[in-house]
Amino acid sequence: MRLTGSQIFVEVLIEQGVDLLFGYPGGAVLNLYDELYKSADRIKTILTAHEQGAAHAADGYARATGRTGVVLATSGPGATNLVTGIATAYMDSVPMVAFTGNVATSLIGRDSFQEAYIEGITLPITKHNYTVRRVEDLADTMRNAFRIAQSGRKGPVLVDIPKDVTANSCEFTRKAPELIRTVTRVDQEQARQAARLINEAQRPIVCFGGGVRSAAGCQPLRDLLTKAGIPATHTLMAAGVLSYGEPHNLGMLGMHGSFAANKAVAEADLVIAVGTRFSDRVALNPDRFAPKAKVIQIDIDPSEMGKNVDLDMSITGDAAYVLQAILPYVEKTEHKLWMEQIRSWQKVDYHPQDSDTELRPHQLIAEICRQAGPEAVYVTDVGQHQMWAAQYLHHTKSRGFLTSGGLGTMGFGYGAAIGAQLALGRDARVIMLTGDGSFHMNLNEGCTAVSYGLPIITVIFNNQVLGMVRQWQTSFYEGRYSSTDPHRRTDFVKLAEGFGAKGYRASTPAEFAAVFADAMKQKGPSWIDCRIGKDERVLPMIPGGGDIEDIIME
């Protein structure tokens, strides 16, 4: 059948199983939006307040479901407004396809109205990107984009579509979505060699990252920990893969990880790194990371092997299949002496003090967990609240913690929460944790949450300063608080009401428990302004370039 480019665009989206599209209209994509209007019974379009919010919403949709998030923006500023969201997805290996409109092909390169070379701009932050010059190429280009986004190490792909391509027509043939072929076979000699190192180790530890969440499954990791009696620590991106309090779970590793987790890595004789790239927030000093250990790295991306930390062995492949191959050769043991040593370190770890009169971050998070329950999905912005969330949330779902790890994007949270809520349905419980600094970045998406009646509860850790940067200024800049006290007078309760949301304020633990309970009953979005002290710090903390000997505990 003969279809226009806009019709082909919609048909391929449906072919690829797309049910939600986030975006913002404009001149270069009017043909696409017109066709989406005609197909509203097949694809739902979500209008955000800003293209960056749309990109984060597509990202949140993908993180919450494992499916590919889709975002659409117009040319020029619409396209460039996606850049931060695309880079966020790229750094955290999130499958996303971003579509942008552009001026007609005859106008490209002439500095036309709302023209930007988005293919070149996004080249370093996408797995691949395209500019479609002929309508005949549109369908297969889109299909390739979806395949690439989900293949191997997942990530974003951009497709730029000039306006005349959306208007021109050609013959179109429907195709079934191409199956993503994952390599499931693992070299058995490598599997035996890895198992041999595991069996010989007296003080082994598993360090796992977001690659485990993206893998075919998390169960092989749990099976390895149980069979070999190995403790495990995780990066920020893997919070929730093992539930809080699980016997083998030592919590987070790295700059704001627990003392016990960092000490265990420092004393281990074998580190099994699964789906983690040893970023500078984990291996703060690569030359002194796990100095007594042999290191095995398992990752789907061969370019990560040995990039940041020297290795004794590497295995490329999907973490689930690699661990499944290793498991039969691993001997069942308990490592009792090693675990006893770790338990002794846990006893002297940092434990924050409770208060009955002041709001303390760990108590806020404990109350949220108590009321929201184990099935809630938690989304964060970036800053102190993000680290407190990673430290104290009682996760029990591998896709229950959504945060910007690699890029550290302030303003990520509200868009991502919207995407997650729409993906999971209004009956799902989505909690957004943010700081007043991060929330000011993209709180404009409050109108989006109101428009679609999304019952997202936003808890604002409001210390009225830029907390994480201020913490660094306290510790390393002799208290010179340069540009971290913005002297804002924002009334979040009135602002929430102005958007059409429900606003609350809490200053004591009892007040917070009461208002959070009321927020849980609301049918639309709620904001809770929680005043915390500006000198609250995220502890423990290892300074950049340091190791366990440099840890700050008080």
Side-chain angles (χ1 to χ4, degrees), residues 268-282:
D269 61 2
L270 177 68
V271 172
I272 307 138
V274 186
T276 180
R277 57 190 176 86
F278 295 114
S279 80
D280 60 321
R281 284 300 187 264
V282 171

Side-chain angles (χ1 to χ4, degrees), residues 470 473-474 476-484:
R470 189 179 190 277
Q473 290 171 335
T474 300
F476 309 119
Y477 293 87
E478 300 177 342
R480 292 187 294 275
Y481 300 120
S482 175
S483 296
T484 49

Side-chain angles (χ1 to χ4, degrees), residues 28-29 59 203 298 318 339 428 442 464 498 521:
V29 290
D59 182 314
R203 303 184 308 280
I298 299 167
D318 184 290
M339 290 304 300
N442 271 343
Q464 298 185 293
K521 302 173 186 175

Side-chain angles (χ1 to χ4, degrees), residues 79 98-106 108-109 115-123 126 128-138 141-142 145 157-165:
F99 294 101
T100 54
N102 211 332
V103 299
T105 54
S106 62
I108 290 176
E115 180 190 358
Y117 179 35
I118 196 63
E119 181 183 349
I121 291 168
T122 59
L123 187 63
T126 52
H128 198 68
N129 59 17
Y130 303 89
T131 296
V132 182
R133 301 277 180 163
R134 302 185 323 132
V135 68
E136 290 83 359
D137 299 328
L138 178 59
T141 300
M142 291 177 64
V157 179
L158 180 129
V159 181
D160 191 39
I161 311 173
K163 188 168 184 179
D164 56 322
V165 173

Side-chain angles (χ1 to χ4, degrees), residues 13-139:
L13 291 181
I14 292 167
E15 175 187 290
Q16 297 296 318
V18 175
D19 56 355
L20 278 177
L21 178 145
F22 302 90
Y24 205 97
V29 290
L30 279 178
N31 293 336
L32 300 178
Y33 266 94
D34 188 54
E35 202 58 45
L36 287 165
Y37 179 89
K38 298 173 187 175
S39 302
D41 58 330
R42 299 191 291 170
I43 296 180
K44 184 170 185 178
T45 58
I46 303 299
L47 174 64
T48 57
H50 188 281
E51 289 90 352
Q52 184 178 338
H56 292 324
D59 182 314
Y61 173 97
R63 293 185 200 232
T65 63
R67 300 173 64 189
T68 303
V70 180
V71 62
L72 171 63
T74 194
S75 62
T80 57
N81 282 345
L82 295 180
V83 169
T84 298
I86 294 171
T88 300
Y90 181 75
M91 289 288 281
D92 290 345
S93 304
V94 177
M96 176 196 292
V97 176
F99 294 101
T100 54
N102 211 332
V103 299
T105 54
S106 62
L107 297 176
I108 290 176
R110 299 189 180 192
D111 292 335
S112 302
F113 177 68
Q114 290 192 332
E115 180 190 358
Y117 179 35
I118 196 63
E119 181 183 349
I121 291 168
T122 59
L123 187 63
I125 55 168
T126 52
K127 285 187 71 178
H128 198 68
N129 59 17
Y130 303 89
T131 296
V132 182
R133 301 277 180 163
R134 302 185 323 132
V135 68
E136 290 83 359
D137 299 328
L138 178 59

